[in-house]
Amino acid sequence: MVQATSSQQISSALDDGRPTVSDLQGADPLAQAAKKHWANDKNSKFKPNAIKTDFYDVLEKEGFRYRSLLILEQLQFLEKYLWPNFSDEATNFHVICIALMVNVKRRESLLNWGLFSSNSVNFSELFRRVLSMSIDRNIPLTIRTHLITFIISAYQSLDNALVRRECAALVSISIWHNLSSEKVRNGRLNKYPQLRKAWKASLKRFEAVDDAGKSRLRFERSWLYQVVLDFLSLLYRPTEDAIEQQQIVNYCERFIELMTDLLSQLPTRRHVNFLLQDLHVATAVKLSPIYSDPANGLLRDLHSLLHRFMTFSIDDHTAVSLNHEDWHQVHCAALARLQRVSFKYFKEKLTILALSNYGTIGQREELATYLGLLEDGELKQLCEYLDLRVAYPKGIPIPLNGEFYMEVLLSVHEKKMNYQEEAAELTILPNENNLFDESLLRHENYDGSKPLGLPKLNLQYLTVGDFLWRSFILYRCEAFFGIRKDLEESLKRLQPKLIYPSLQTSFGGFSKMALVIEKPAILEVAPPKVGEDKPGYVRAEINIDMSRLSDDVRRDWDALRQDDVVFLLAVRGSDEANGPAPGRADAPLADQYGLKALRTAEVVQVLDKDGRVIRDPSQMRGLNSQRRRIHVKLDPAMYKQDEEHTKAGKPDIYESVNVIVRRMGRENNFKPVLESIQELTQLDIPMPTWLEEVFLGYGDPSGAHYRNLASRPTELDFRDSFVDWTHLVESFPGKVIKPPPGADKSISPPYILSNVPLAVPKQKLAKVAKKQRREAAPELASDDSIDVRTYKLPNMGPYPVDKPRQNHLKFTPAQVEAIVSGTNPGLTVIVGPPGTGKTDVATQIISNLYHNFPQQRTLLIAHSNQALNQLFQKITALDIDERHLLRLGHGEEDLKSDSNYSKQGRVESFMDNRAHLLAEVDRLAVCLGAPGAHGDSCETADYFNMVYVKPTWAKFEEYLENGTKSVQEIKAAYPFNNYFLNAPGEMFPDSMIPEDALEVAMGGYRHIMKIFSELEDIRPFDLLRTARDRQNYLLTKEARVVAMTSTHAAMRRHDIAKLGFTYESIIMEEAAQITEIETFIPFALQKPTSTGELPLQRIILLGDHFQNSPIIQNLALRQHANLEQSLFARFVRLGVPTVSLDQQGRARPTLAQLYSWRYQSLGNLPLLEQLPEYRTANAGFRHEYQFVDVPDFRGKGEEYPQPHFIQNLGEAEYAVALYQYMRLLGYPREKITILTTYTGQRALIRDVLHRRCAKNPLFGFPGGGVSTVDKYQGEQNDYVILSLVRTSRPGYLRDMRRMTVALSRARLGLYVLGRRLVFESCYELNEAFSRLIASRRTKLELVVGEMWPTQRGVREESPESTVVMEDVTHLGQYVYEMTVTAVERLKARSSSAGAGGAAIVEVPADEAEVQEEGREGDAKGKDNREDMEGAAIAMEL
């Protein structure tokens, strides 16, 4: 770990521009002004002029420095001062300050429009003022840029009704008043007759209002036109002032972002796109001086994105996606009109153009050649004949010349690439060019001050293809970002340098992820495939020397698997041994470290030096461990390109390759995932009809709910979902539960619920007026009664294994609602707060689907293997035949089960079961006296069943039909008595009645028939000989519940779909943690049916959008492009009906209230008041939860040993001392977890634990582990120690979602270590910390004289035995003294045991676990072996 001075320097560099708590309370003029006006206990009178003098002028003087804006935002300038005092008399400075604060909150991902809902009238006034000022040329351009940014934020938040109402009027059809001519407008209205009705309605609305209303409507329909004209004027404004020029560029970039946002969502696109095309916006930008300036690469990127959306393959007014053929027809129609006009008016010059084929004149160069024959005036006339705008209002300095008219004609008529062609052209394998492309490098230092030329994921999409295209672009950027960072880290560690005079590259450092190699040897170049010009494949061999590697690093390289991606680098070192060459520190990585070439390869196999394939790396220790040979596949397209360059006389790249780099497991899955997304962009995979509109964000948000689908079944068997009649009645509050006629009202389960009225089909609703539909809708959704009937579960045999496994959980009404919705077809979104039983609900839905729809398959998806295994463990406890369960991907080995549910494990299980079942057939044959080898195979067993078993049973049934039989007669005639002699009990006791005896006899026959049914299922495995064929058959035919992670689904989409795998239901756990594209891919793991529809009938998403979102490393993609958005969260934003689970059973009610306020109505299950563990206090603690204010330790708070690697030694020592205290009181180590918010702190805590506790029998390592909050989502433990780390500012903990996760992991005890001043003053965390601190001290309060478990009640106070820990030194001294006492006690006990006795001590932590935990701590932790005051903290024995 580096010295403290260096840490502080790094910290200062990282946090430059971010205010600290001391800044908020210091001498900063803005902080002082805040204290004067609102940040004090006195209610100061609002002074309008103070906004300008005390705030605006200060900001303007500083150039609206972001740090100053952050100070005001964190001082709650908007919430406590600006908005409460806003009125229609507010000054422009007041409006500007509000816009600035909204922009800051958006940039910090903290924007909440709900603040403005307190006064919708004032918000309307504010919005109108912003619009007016944005087109006021007297307002400085910098301010107008901020106002445009405010408007962008609004259009990105159309899910908010308040914002949507203000935004919608600006993009309505009335903006077509500003088209170039009435002819153009009428042409569009004639083409789409449905638009004429909307146009007439807008005219009537205008005529119906008073003069003030007319003025308002005129402003609304002209604002967009005016702001576009201002933008066009700025593009061509001449200026020599560099500052003014940069301000113009900044404004234009933001404005193009706004236009792109408007075009990327259908409701705002419908009318705007036609106006922008009429104004030739894209052409004007392209011909502007700003565009051609080499320094304005970002503006060119933004223009390219704008042009992509302006020409997207969709019909703007019908919302119909245009496929390749449709897109071609649209283009041909435009060319046909051009030819007709050209032939009619310019026959002499354009005859050849008029007679040429579309393929020729559709090319930009060819068309330019033909049109080049016309003079400037003729080009203008041609534009007029084609109804293209040729004039702008006076004052717009666009040069209307031949070049402009030519570009207009070319842009309208050239063949344009659609999104599929664009996606197909992008390579998914990085090289030295595309990995360091200028447009990608712009994302590296994103801080929100500028837009980016990236598509955004937001509320709505134009088409499914649009969503896939955006996702592909963004996911590729994220993958390349991670690769760049990993390569940079490896090269930094390798330290390449030049050796003189040989000028060879030497490497002075070491990286476990990168090895120096000799040049790869090309083994084989396959001939091209039919129709291709690149090699079929290229195989190469790489030799690596492992003689200097540690065993751990060697094992990692030996563990390379087939299809893993590695990177081959050609590096030429710099003149400096310890870093980049002088003058290149700010240059891209490729220049800094002399990266000359980068090629991507896929591993085929790893061999030892003798050519033997390494299958198990653990077996290679000490055996031929010096050298390895890695066979890889190179990218054929790049190899062909490299060959061509070599033939042209350029150096052979592969001769200079000298480094191989690998990446860690999951993050190296980018290639198959990108291939899956890219392939989906090329396919026209339909969304299920019932889901498409909801997915795209249009139409009725509840349109996919089961109550609105005509396909829902009339009745469903809920089997063991209800434990008894009382539970059934309680599960449907407000409903009348009707038992069958004549039946007792307390009939026993299982229950079949029926007679729920169906929704009226949509095609019928379409014929009804809107008002009638609104009035009828509640009637369709209402249902006051539910018909219930029951049945008796059939006897399945006399053995315990034949008895069905039952659910014994008493589901809450909300859980029942979720189960009912999930069992029905349609979309079900289940919001599950912490501890509310999402997994239990999911397993019950799976069980219901399994039994109600025996011909259907269910696909289970989860974000992590851990969540998938938890789900699978509960599934196996239900009445689901394990032969129908299948687990795909890695991670199955962590499943706590005796059975193996992987493909190989299931096949082996089938074959093992085959032997057992055939043995049973032989035993049955003996019992029936049937000679022959009937148990030789599945085929002979089937023959035996047909010839012997079924006829025997038919005779028995015939016997039973001849009059009523007694139990003794049934028993005597039963043909399988001898077979069931090994049953645990007598099948036909004398006390049994004849009816029950008949059912028992039938149960025995069912047991036998199940044997033959299972053998029939196993029979194909006899015929299929290869393991792969058997596994594929298992997936496509036998498995009915298939589970995999979202990553595995993305990686194997092509292979799974190719097999013909089909499924009707998807259940997705942790859906709020999965990105949209990773959520979508499981929808497309199957091919459409012959009707063109996907067989998907139901989608169940379970998650919690109030907890962590998907993790995205690239800040630009996370904040600007919103790649961290999950489909689950978007559905919630859209207003899709959700089922919120409302009772938690995890944490004490007092702990739950720390986060329950985040949810609408989260209560507690009654069991929390009944179980002893919840009724007793935490031994040794006065409180079941407490916030402990940890001051600086030795004058230090948070530190930065490395960038983004934050540590706090004081909190680390406090956490370990607290853990030791709990262990000394007898708390089991497996019930304690230590959590922290940063990986650096986790490493430090592990390091301290490793030295203080790991090898000490009194303590051991925490069985619950030491983890970050993000990694621990979905987990829980009885007692949690939480370290918040930050002492200068809250950091990313301002995101309440992360804090919700942190506060909800503990069941019985939570002890939070942090800096009170930092977190209590944070607006977003105020509610949580006010509850956490409440009226309690912020110094740890302990209760003496108790051991775990205590008998003290949770509400019992014991102030007389309470000890307050003043600080970490005090706690350390206290624990040290306890430790000494404990050691003395152990010694005494050992002595009393006699000379041969052993001391009674707790077994220490598992040595392997200790070593693993310690290894991570040693890698990143800090050596804390220093003198601690009076041995207060050094408690090593």
Side-chain angles (χ1 to χ4, degrees):
M1 193 169 171
V2 299
Q3 297 297 322
T5 54
S6 299
S7 300
Q8 291 169 359
Q9 290 171 1
I10 295 173
S11 173
S12 176
L14 285 175
D15 291 327
D16 184 37
R18 310 288 301 187
T20 65
V21 173
S22 59
D23 292 327
L24 303 183
Q25 300 178 346
D28 186 277
L30 293 174
Q32 290 298 313
K35 188 174 182 180
K36 172 184 176 182
H37 292 287
W38 75 87
N40 53 45
D41 297 332
K42 300 178 181 179
N43 293 324
S44 303
K45 184 178 180 180
F46 174 68
K47 300 177 181 179
N49 291 334
I51 291 181
K52 180 181 186 304
T53 57
D54 293 353
F55 298 102
Y56 182 85
D57 288 347
V58 176
L59 292 172
E60 186 180 38
K61 183 178 179 181
E62 297 176 342
F64 299 98
R65 190 172 56 140
Y66 191 60
R67 184 177 185 277
S68 299
L69 293 172
L70 278 174
I71 290 176
L72 287 175
E73 188 276 325
Q74 293 180 24
L75 289 169
Q76 303 170 37
F77 188 32
L78 176 63
E79 295 87 353
K80 292 189 174 181
Y81 191 68
L82 291 175
W83 183 241
N85 295 305
F86 181 81
S87 68
D88 57 358
E89 297 178 355
T91 65
N92 283 352
F93 301 107
H94 199 145
V95 174
I96 292 169
C97 286
I98 290 179
L100 289 171
M101 289 300 99
V102 168
N103 293 343
V104 172
K105 286 187 173 293
R106 174 178 178 262
R107 192 163 159 181
E108 295 292 305
S109 302
L110 300 170
L111 181 56
N112 179 14
W113 293 100
L115 169 70
F116 300 103
S117 60
S118 60
N119 193 325
S120 59
V121 175
N122 276 357
F123 181 76
S124 182
E125 174 65 21
L126 169 69
F127 202 84
R128 189 55 52 91
R129 293 279 297 277
V130 169
L131 295 176
S132 300
M133 293 169 65
S134 68
I135 57 176
D136 185 350
R137 299 190 180 186
N138 295 318
I139 301 290
L141 194 57
T142 301
I143 299 301
R144 287 160 61 193
T145 303
H146 287 298
L147 297 176
I148 289 294
T149 306
F150 174 91
I151 297 169
I152 290 172
S153 301
Y155 276 101
Q156 287 287 302
S157 308
L158 295 179
D159 52 312
N160 184 283
L162 193 66
V163 176
R164 186 171 60 248
R165 183 172 64 248
E166 301 301 328
C167 291
L170 305 176
V171 294
S172 69
I173 197 172
S174 62
I175 65 174
W176 284 4
H177 280 281
N178 305 294
L179 292 172
S180 57
S181 68
E182 188 175 349
K183 179 182 178 183
V184 171
R185 181 173 60 245
N186 287 333
R188 180 54 61 107
L189 296 177
N190 292 334
K191 184 178 179 181
Y192 298 95
Q194 71 273 19
L195 293 178
R196 188 169 291 280
K197 182 178 180 181
W199 176 255
K200 291 180 179 179
S202 71
L203 296 178
K204 289 181 180 178
R205 187 164 55 251
F206 181 82
E207 295 298 332
V209 297
D210 56 16
D211 291 342
K214 284 183 171 63
S215 177
R216 178 177 57 83
L217 292 176
R218 285 194 192 97
F219 176 80
E220 288 174 350
R221 73 191 188 190
S222 65
W223 176 83
L224 183 62
Y225 179 67
Q226 289 297 328
V227 77
V228 171
L229 293 181
D230 282 353
F231 164 69
L232 296 178
S233 298
L234 288 171
L235 284 173
Y236 291 88
R237 177 194 290 181
T239 179
E240 298 296 331
D241 188 338
I243 296 178
E244 182 183 4
Q245 180 68 18
Q246 188 56 52
Q247 290 176 351
I248 291 174
V249 172
N250 292 342
Y251 178 88
C252 292
E253 289 170 347
R254 281 297 181 192
F255 186 82
I256 295 177
E257 181 189 11
L258 172 60
M259 294 300 101
T260 304
D261 287 351
L262 293 179
L263 298 183
S264 65
Q265 300 183 89
L266 196 58
T268 54
R269 173 191 179 89
R270 277 197 169 99
H271 311 300
V272 171
N273 192 29
F274 190 52
L275 177 61
L276 296 184
Q277 289 177 351
D278 178 73
L279 287 167
H280 308 312
V281 170
T283 299
V285 175
K286 187 174 181 179
L287 296 179
S288 67
I290 292 178
Y291 182 89
S292 57
D293 188 337
N296 295 331
L298 174 57
L299 187 135
R300 288 188 289 274
D301 289 347
L302 290 165
H303 169 265
S304 176
L305 185 63
L306 175 66
H307 184 261
R308 162 56 53 219
F309 277 109
M310 288 183 72
T311 59
F312 196 85
S313 53
I314 184 177
D315 188 306
D316 293 341
H317 306 293
T318 63
V320 174
S321 176
L322 305 179
N323 57 30
H324 280 288
E325 182 61 28
D326 297 333
W327 188 238
H328 179 66
Q329 292 300 326
V330 170
H331 181 230
C332 290
L335 292 178
R337 187 182 181 206
L338 173 64
Q339 287 182 320
R340 290 194 300 270
V341 171
S342 299
F343 190 77
K344 181 177 181 180
Y345 297 103
F346 305 97
K347 185 175 181 180
E348 293 182 1
K349 293 185 177 182
L350 299 182
T351 299
I352 298 179
L353 183 151
L355 299 178
S356 297
N357 61 66
Y358 294 154
T360 300
I361 62 174
Q363 303 301 316
R364 184 180 182 89
E365 294 77 11
E366 293 290 334
L367 184 57
T369 301
Y370 294 133
L371 295 178
L373 300 174
L374 300 179
E375 302 293 337
D376 289 1
E378 293 173 320
L379 287 172
K380 179 179 179 180
Q381 287 181 338
L382 180 57
C383 290
E384 291 175 334
Y385 292 140
L386 292 170
D387 298 328
L388 300 175
R389 180 187 289 267
V390 294
Y392 290 89
K394 187 177 180 180
I396 306 300
I398 296 178
L400 299 177
N401 51 28
E403 181 187 10
F404 181 83
Y405 299 132
M406 174 69 78
E407 183 59 35
V408 167
L409 291 167
L410 292 177
S411 64
V412 171
H413 297 98
E414 68 178 333
K415 185 180 185 300
K416 303 171 186 67
M417 291 176 60
N418 62 16
Y419 72 90
Q420 293 173 311
E421 294 167 329
E422 182 176 332
E425 280 195 354
L426 288 175
T427 175
I428 60 175
L429 296 178
N431 56 55
E432 70 276 11
N433 295 320
N434 60 26
L435 188 63
F436 301 100
D437 183 83
E438 182 183 358
S439 61
L440 294 182
L441 294 179
R442 266 192 281 275
H443 311 158
E444 297 288 317
N445 300 315
Y446 174 80
D447 60 3
S449 61
K450 280 178 165 287
L452 291 172
L454 289 172
K456 300 176 184 177
L457 303 184
N458 197 32
L459 201 63
Q460 300 165 325
Y461 302 106
L462 302 178
T463 64
V464 175
D466 171 40
F467 162 73
L468 291 170
W469 171 74
R470 297 192 210 186
S471 299
F472 176 66
I473 298 295
L474 298 177
Y475 200 98
R476 180 176 178 268
C477 289
E478 170 74 356
F480 280 23
F481 173 82
I483 294 170
R484 275 198 307 276
K485 291 302 179 185
D486 288 344
L487 293 182
E488 179 180 4
E489 181 66 22
S490 295
L491 287 178
K492 280 182 179 179
R493 292 181 178 275
L494 285 177
Q495 298 176 13
K497 63 178 180 178
L498 282 180
I499 299 177
Y500 292 95
S502 63
L503 295 181
Q504 297 296 314
T505 299
S506 174
F507 298 90
F510 170 76
S511 171
K512 65 179 182 179
M513 307 304 294
L515 296 177
V516 179
I517 61 171
E518 300 173 356
K519 66 178 182 180
I522 305 300
L523 300 179
E524 183 181 6
V525 180
K529 297 178 181 178
V530 177
E532 296 183 355
D533 59 354
K534 63 182 180 181
Y537 60 85
V538 181
R539 295 186 63 179
E541 181 178 274
I542 302 167
N543 286 281
I544 58 177
D545 183 3
M546 294 190 171
S547 58
R548 297 184 180 182
L549 302 183
S550 66
D551 288 343
D552 290 341
V553 177
R554 186 183 298 120
R555 277 197 301 271
D556 289 341
W557 281 94
D558 285 340
L560 285 173
R561 296 179 298 192
Q562 185 177 3
D563 297 331
D564 278 356
V565 175
V566 294
F567 302 95
L568 307 180
L569 279 58
V571 180
R572 180 177 174 82
S574 65
D575 293 335
E576 297 293 322
N578 297 320
R584 296 197 291 177
D586 296 329
L589 174 69
D591 296 331
Q592 286 187 35
Y593 293 96
L595 179 61
K596 301 301 180 183
L598 165 64
R599 294 294 176 265
T600 308
E602 289 183 86
V603 174
V604 177
Q605 57 188 2
V606 181
L607 305 92
D608 64 13
K609 68 176 184 179
D610 298 321
R612 290 175 295 205
V613 178
I614 299 176
R615 303 188 187 280
D616 185 0
S618 62
Q619 297 176 356
M620 293 303 298
R621 188 176 300 180
L623 300 175
N624 298 325
S625 57
Q626 302 302 312
R627 301 193 67 84
R628 295 287 184 273
R629 294 155 56 188
I630 304 177
H631 286 185
V632 299
K633 293 186 296 184
L634 301 176
D635 179 14
M638 280 306 304
Y639 184 80
K640 176 179 180 294
Q641 183 178 323
D642 293 337
E643 270 193 326
E644 292 174 351
H645 288 174
T646 304
K647 291 177 182 178
K650 296 182 180 180
D652 186 348
I653 286 177
Y654 300 98
E655 292 288 331
S656 58
V657 169
N658 54 358
V659 174
I660 181 173
V661 179
R662 66 179 178 88
R663 300 178 74 208
M664 299 301 292
R666 178 166 182 166
E667 62 196 25
N668 203 31
N669 295 329
F670 75 96
K671 181 178 179 291
V673 175
L674 280 175
E675 284 177 336
S676 294
I677 304 174
Q678 189 178 45
E679 183 183 28
L680 285 173
T681 62
Q682 306 304 305
L683 302 175
D684 293 323
I685 293 184
M687 288 288 287
T689 305
W690 55 270
L691 179 66
E692 184 171 10
E693 285 192 359
V694 175
F695 177 84
L696 293 177
Y698 310 121
D700 182 5
S702 63
H705 192 262
Y706 78 96
R707 289 187 178 276
N708 295 322
L709 298 179
S711 59
R712 61 178 294 198
T714 56
E715 64 177 22
L716 285 170
D717 183 359
F718 286 89
R719 290 179 65 87
D720 55 352
S721 301
F722 308 98
V723 297
D724 52 34
W725 179 262
T726 303
H727 180 211
L728 174 65
V729 174
E730 292 173 349
S731 298
F732 296 97
K735 304 286 185 181
V736 177
I737 309 300
K738 296 181 179 179
D744 187 5
K745 285 195 174 182
S746 58
I747 58 176
S748 300
Y751 300 121
I752 297 177
L753 307 186
S754 59
N755 198 29
V756 180
L758 296 176
V760 176
K762 288 187 176 181
Q763 60 268 24
K764 294 183 180 179
L765 283 174
K767 299 179 181 179
V768 184
K770 284 185 178 180
K771 183 177 179 181
Q772 293 174 327
R773 291 205 303 271
R774 286 195 297 267
E775 294 173 351
E779 297 180 8
L780 294 172
S782 64
D783 177 33
D784 296 329
S785 64
I786 300 175
D787 289 347
V788 180
R789 63 184 177 89
T790 187
Y791 63 94
K792 186 177 181 181
L793 288 172
N795 187 311
M796 299 305 296
Y799 301 103
V801 72
D802 294 322
K803 295 182 179 179
R805 295 185 290 271
Q806 297 285 324
N807 161 62
H808 299 291
L809 291 175
K810 194 172 183 180
F811 293 112
T812 66
Q815 289 176 320
V816 169
E817 182 184 356
I819 292 170
V820 171
S821 179
T823 308
N824 276 284
L827 173 64
T828 300
V829 179
I830 302 172
V831 179
T836 51
K838 293 190 297 290
T839 306
D840 293 320
V841 169
T843 52
Q844 191 61 40
I845 292 173
I846 293 166
S847 176
N848 289 350
L849 295 176
Y850 179 85
H851 292 287
N852 276 276
F853 309 102
Q855 302 304 317
Q856 295 185 7
R857 293 189 181 89
T858 300
L859 180 64
L860 303 187
I861 301 291
H863 174 62
S864 64
N865 283 305
Q866 177 185 348
L868 203 59
N869 288 338
Q870 290 176 349
L871 188 60
F872 229 67
Q873 280 178 264
K874 295 197 173 187
I875 293 173
T876 55
L878 296 179
D879 189 29
I880 296 178
D881 196 330
E882 71 173 28
R883 64 198 174 101
H884 292 142
L885 300 176
L886 180 62
R887 170 80 158 77
L888 299 182
H890 300 284
E892 193 273 342
E893 57 272 10
D894 297 327
L895 183 62
K896 297 176 183 178
S897 173
D898 295 332
S899 300
N900 186 340
Y901 293 98
S902 66
K903 286 198 290 187
Q904 180 180 350
R906 286 293 83 209
V907 171
E908 292 174 354
S909 175
F910 268 86
M911 301 313 292
D912 293 343
N913 200 31
R914 172 185 181 276
H916 168 71
L917 294 175
L918 290 177
E920 289 296 298
V921 171
D922 279 335
R923 190 167 70 85
L924 180 60
V926 171
C927 295
L928 294 180
H934 300 293
D936 277 1
S937 67
C938 296
E939 185 177 1
T940 58
D942 183 58
Y943 175 81
F944 170 67
N945 181 34
M946 299 296 296
V947 175
Y948 289 95
V949 179
K950 288 186 176 180
T952 300
W953 180 254
K955 290 181 181 179
F956 177 69
E957 286 183 322
E958 184 179 350
Y959 168 76
L960 295 177
E961 290 175 357
N962 297 326
T964 304
K965 308 297 181 184
S966 66
V967 174
Q968 290 74 19
E969 291 174 326
I970 294 173
K971 179 178 179 180
Y974 192 57
F976 306 120
N977 281 319
N978 292 336
Y979 177 76
F980 290 113
L981 288 177
N982 62 350
E986 186 178 355
M987 289 187 67
F988 303 99
D990 295 336
S991 59
M992 184 177 287
I993 62 175
E995 289 78 7
D996 290 344
L998 290 175
E999 180 60 22
V1000 168
M1002 190 65 194
Y1005 181 65
R1006 292 191 186 103
H1007 176 90
I1008 293 172
M1009 285 299 99
K1010 185 180 179 183
I1011 293 175
F1012 292 106
S1013 173
E1014 291 188 21
L1015 285 171
E1016 186 63 26
D1017 290 340
I1018 296 172
R1019 189 171 179 178
F1021 294 91
D1022 278 350
L1023 304 176
L1024 300 170
R1025 293 303 177 185
T1026 67
R1028 172 169 291 186
D1029 289 343
R1030 287 176 172 178
Q1031 292 173 7
N1032 291 341
Y1033 178 84
L1034 177 71
L1035 172 64
T1036 57
K1037 300 296 182 182
E1038 193 63 33
R1040 288 181 52 199
V1041 179
V1042 180
M1044 67 186 79
T1045 63
S1046 56
T1047 302
H1048 184 83
M1051 292 172 59
R1052 302 300 179 192
R1053 193 213 75 84
H1054 177 80
D1055 296 334
I1056 294 174
K1058 187 177 179 181
L1059 290 173
F1061 174 61
T1062 60
Y1063 49 94
E1064 288 74 21
S1065 305
I1066 289 180
I1067 298 178
M1068 191 169 293
E1069 259 275 36
E1070 301 179 317
Q1073 289 181 265
I1074 306 176
T1075 60
E1076 278 205 83
I1077 185 60
E1078 289 182 310
T1079 305
F1080 176 86
I1081 289 176
F1083 299 171
L1085 291 182
Q1086 56 187 337
K1087 296 180 180 179
T1089 62
S1090 57
T1091 61
E1093 278 281 325
L1094 288 177
L1096 194 59
Q1097 295 182 15
R1098 59 184 65 79
I1099 296 173
I1100 300 101
L1101 304 179
L1102 301 99
D1104 182 4
H1105 57 293
F1106 289 118
Q1107 297 188 60
N1108 283 345
S1109 59
I1111 297 175
I1112 303 299
Q1113 299 297 331
N1114 190 324
L1115 179 65
L1117 301 178
R1118 184 169 69 245
Q1119 291 190 354
H1120 177 82
N1122 204 23
L1123 186 56
E1124 70 169 357
Q1125 174 175 271
S1126 66
L1127 180 62
F1128 183 95
R1130 186 164 71 89
F1131 277 161
V1132 173
R1133 288 181 63 197
L1134 285 168
V1136 170
T1138 61
V1139 181
S1140 296
L1141 307 184
D1142 56 5
Q1143 294 190 54
Q1144 69 90 23
R1146 171 189 294 171
R1148 298 180 189 270
T1150 50
L1151 265 66
Q1153 59 89 26
L1154 296 176
Y1155 54 87
S1156 61
W1157 61 274
R1158 291 273 287 161
Y1159 303 92
Q1160 189 172 2
S1161 56
L1162 180 59
N1164 305 295
L1165 289 173
L1167 64 87
L1168 297 179
E1169 298 291 340
Q1170 301 167 5
L1171 296 178
E1173 62 211 73
Y1174 292 102
R1175 300 175 64 182
T1176 55
N1178 295 338
F1181 293 94
R1182 183 177 180 184
H1183 306 292
E1184 61 273 23
Y1185 69 88
Q1186 189 176 3
F1187 178 86
V1188 180
D1189 191 11
V1190 181
D1192 285 352
F1193 182 64
R1194 293 180 181 159
K1196 300 175 186 176
E1198 63 183 60
E1199 298 180 271
Y1200 295 78
Q1202 303 172 29
H1204 311 295
F1205 195 75
I1206 308 176
Q1207 296 182 336
N1208 185 322
L1209 180 59
E1211 288 188 19
E1213 293 285 8
Y1214 209 120
V1216 173
L1218 191 55
Y1219 167 72
Q1220 290 177 306
Y1221 170 73
M1222 296 177 72
R1223 294 289 290 124
L1224 290 170
L1225 294 186
Y1227 283 86
R1229 68 186 188 91
E1230 63 273 7
K1231 291 183 178 292
I1232 306 172
T1233 294
I1234 301 178
L1235 293 182
T1236 181
T1237 51
Y1238 290 90
T1239 55
Q1241 185 73 349
R1242 179 187 62 179
L1244 180 58
I1245 292 174
R1246 283 176 168 173
D1247 184 50
V1248 177
L1249 280 167
H1250 181 61
R1251 294 196 206 89
R1252 303 257 192 273
C1253 307
K1255 297 181 181 180
N1256 190 320
L1258 285 175
F1259 305 121
F1261 215 88
V1266 181
S1267 178
T1268 60
V1269 171
D1270 289 352
K1271 292 289 185 182
Y1272 207 68
Q1273 181 165 343
E1275 294 293 301
Q1276 60 179 334
N1277 209 343
D1278 286 359
Y1279 306 97
V1280 171
I1281 302 169
L1282 173 63
S1283 170
L1284 298 180
V1285 186
R1286 302 305 298 264
T1287 58
S1288 62
R1289 60 187 61 81
Y1292 68 77
L1293 284 176
R1294 289 190 72 184
D1295 187 345
M1296 190 56 210
R1297 295 176 299 180
R1298 187 167 276 103
M1299 189 59 73
T1300 300
V1301 177
L1303 297 178
S1304 60
R1305 299 305 97 196
R1307 295 179 61 246
L1308 304 175
L1310 173 67
Y1311 301 95
V1312 183
L1313 313 176
R1315 187 64 57 88
R1316 176 176 182 173
L1317 191 60
V1318 172
F1319 296 98
E1320 189 179 27
S1321 61
C1322 179
Y1323 175 74
E1324 289 75 21
L1325 305 178
N1326 185 264
E1327 180 67 27
F1329 272 82
S1330 64
R1331 292 169 179 253
L1332 183 61
I1333 296 172
S1335 58
R1336 300 181 179 184
R1337 293 189 183 185
T1338 55
K1339 293 182 178 180
L1340 183 64
E1341 297 183 272
L1342 305 180
V1343 176
V1344 300
E1346 285 187 334
M1347 294 294 289
W1348 184 89
T1350 182
Q1351 299 302 314
R1352 175 167 55 94
V1354 69
R1355 295 181 178 85
E1356 292 181 23
E1357 290 289 338
S1358 52
E1360 68 283 351
S1361 57
T1362 298
V1363 177
V1364 178
M1365 298 293 105
E1366 295 298 328
D1367 53 24
V1368 61
T1369 303
H1370 188 187
L1371 178 62
Q1373 180 67 45
Y1374 189 79
V1375 174
Y1376 173 73
E1377 294 171 359
M1378 290 180 64
T1379 305
V1380 172
T1381 303
V1383 171
E1384 292 175 352
R1385 188 183 303 116
L1386 288 174
K1387 288 181 179 179
R1389 193 178 304 172
S1390 177
S1391 300
S1392 64
I1400 304 174
V1401 298
E1402 184 176 340
V1403 178
D1406 181 79
E1407 186 65 24
E1409 178 188 4
V1410 171
Q1411 291 177 358
E1412 178 63 28
E1413 300 282 2
R1415 188 180 301 121
E1416 295 190 36
D1418 290 336
K1420 296 182 177 179
K1422 179 179 180 181
D1423 188 356
N1424 297 308
R1425 294 182 183 274
E1426 304 176 7
D1427 294 332
M1428 303 293 177
E1429 294 87 344
I1433 299 197
M1435 292 163 285
E1436 300 168 359
L1437 303 180

